[in-house]
Amino acid sequence: MDTPSLRTAEDAFATMARERDRLREAMGTLGTAVDALERLMAGNSEHRAALAAARPAGSADR
């Protein structure tokens, strides 16, 4: 940023833009993974609730 060269400033800008784009793509991928994990967790919660409801009273099944 301190170099008085237009070429250096343009190269730095291009590098920053590529990094920004890479981070945005990674954020999208991570968002999709988090959404999938949350769906799996919701299904697991429902499954555990159904198992607990079907368990005989006083049962300590693990």
Side-chain angles (χ1 to χ4, degrees):
M1 297 291 292
D2 294 336
T3 303
S5 163
L6 179 57
R7 177 65 185 195
T8 300
E10 289 173 343
D11 289 347
F13 183 86
T15 299
M16 290 183 274
R18 283 191 305 272
E19 182 64 6
R20 178 205 54 210
D21 295 344
R22 185 191 69 77
L23 290 171
R24 282 186 176 159
E25 183 177 341
M27 288 168 52
T29 300
L30 289 172
T32 299
V34 168
D35 291 345
L37 183 56
E38 287 177 343
R39 286 191 302 275
L40 288 170
M41 291 171 72
N44 180 272
S45 292
E46 291 173 12
H47 180 65
R48 287 183 296 119
L51 289 173
R55 185 174 42 205
S59 173
D61 178 70
R62 290 220 42 97

